[in-house]
Coordinates of all heavy atoms in Angstrom, one line a residue:
V363 N 4.2 -23.5 14.9 CA 4.3 -23.5 16.4 C 4.9 -24.7 16.9 O 5.8 -24.7 17.8 CB 2.9 -23.3 16.9 CG1 2.9 -23.4 18.5 CG2 2.3 -21.9 16.5
L364 N 4.6 -25.9 16.3 CA 5.2 -27.2 16.7 C 6.7 -27.2 16.5 O 7.5 -27.4 17.4 CB 4.5 -28.3 15.9 CG 5.2 -29.7 16.0 CD1 5.0 -30.2 17.5 CD2 4.5 -30.7 15.1
G365 N 7.1 -26.8 15.3 CA 8.5 -26.9 14.9 C 9.4 -25.9 15.7 O 10.6 -26.1 15.9
L366 N 8.8 -24.8 16.1 CA 9.5 -23.8 16.9 C 9.6 -24.1 18.4 O 10.2 -23.4 19.1 CB 8.9 -22.4 16.7 CG 9.0 -21.9 15.2 CD1 8.1 -20.6 15.0 CD2 10.5 -21.6 14.9
G367 N 8.9 -25.2 18.7 CA 9.0 -25.7 20.1 C 8.1 -24.8 21.0 O 8.3 -24.8 22.3
R368 N 7.1 -24.2 20.5 CA 6.2 -23.4 21.3 C 4.9 -24.1 21.7 O 4.5 -25.0 20.9 CB 5.9 -22.1 20.6 CG 7.1 -21.3 20.2 CD 7.9 -20.8 21.4 NE 8.8 -19.8 21.1 CZ 9.7 -19.3 21.9 NH1 9.7 -19.7 23.2 NH2 10.5 -18.3 21.6
A369 N 4.3 -23.8 22.8 CA 3.1 -24.4 23.2 C 1.9 -23.5 22.8 O 0.7 -24.0 22.8 CB 3.1 -24.6 24.7
S370 N 2.1 -22.3 22.5 CA 1.1 -21.3 22.2 C 1.5 -20.3 21.2 O 2.7 -19.9 21.2 CB 0.6 -20.7 23.5 OG -0.2 -19.6 23.3
V371 N 0.6 -19.7 20.5 CA 0.9 -18.6 19.6 C 1.4 -17.4 20.5 O 2.1 -16.5 20.0 CB -0.2 -18.2 18.7 CG1 -0.5 -19.2 17.7 CG2 -1.5 -17.8 19.6
D372 N 1.0 -17.3 21.7 CA 1.4 -16.2 22.6 C 2.9 -16.3 22.9 O 3.5 -15.3 23.3 CB 0.7 -16.3 23.9 CG -0.8 -16.1 23.8 OD1 -1.2 -15.4 22.8 OD2 -1.6 -16.6 24.6
E373 N 3.6 -17.4 22.6 CA 5.0 -17.5 22.9 C 5.9 -17.2 21.7 O 7.1 -17.1 21.9 CB 5.3 -19.0 23.4 CG 4.6 -19.4 24.7 CD 4.9 -20.8 25.0 OE1 5.6 -21.5 24.3 OE2 4.4 -21.3 26.1
L374 N 5.3 -17.0 20.6 CA 6.1 -16.7 19.4 C 6.8 -15.4 19.6 O 6.2 -14.4 20.1 CB 5.2 -16.7 18.1 CG 4.6 -18.0 17.7 CD1 3.6 -17.8 16.6 CD2 5.7 -19.0 17.2
A375 N 8.1 -15.3 19.2 CA 8.9 -14.2 19.5 C 10.0 -14.0 18.3 O 10.2 -14.9 17.5 CB 9.7 -14.3 20.8
P376 N 10.6 -12.8 18.3 CA 11.6 -12.6 17.2 C 12.7 -13.6 17.1 O 13.2 -13.9 16.0 CB 12.1 -11.2 17.5 CG 11.0 -10.5 18.2 CD 10.3 -11.6 19.1
D377 N 13.1 -14.2 18.2 CA 14.2 -15.2 18.2 C 13.7 -16.5 17.6 O 14.6 -17.4 17.4 CB 14.8 -15.4 19.5 CG 13.9 -16.1 20.5 OD1 12.8 -16.3 20.2 OD2 14.4 -16.3 21.7
D378 N 12.5 -16.6 17.2 CA 12.0 -17.8 16.4 C 12.3 -17.6 14.9 O 12.0 -18.5 14.1 CB 10.5 -18.0 16.6 CG 10.2 -18.5 18.0 OD1 10.9 -19.3 18.5 OD2 9.2 -18.0 18.6
L379 N 12.8 -16.4 14.5 CA 12.9 -16.1 13.1 C 14.4 -15.8 12.8 O 15.2 -15.4 13.7 CB 12.1 -14.9 12.8 CG 10.6 -15.0 13.0 CD1 9.9 -13.7 12.6 CD2 10.0 -16.2 12.3

Side-chain angles (χ1 to χ4, degrees):
V363 173
L364 172 65
L366 294 169
R368 301 301 194 182
S370 167
V371 291
D372 296 332
E373 298 176 0
L374 293 170
D377 67 358
D378 290 317
L379 304 180

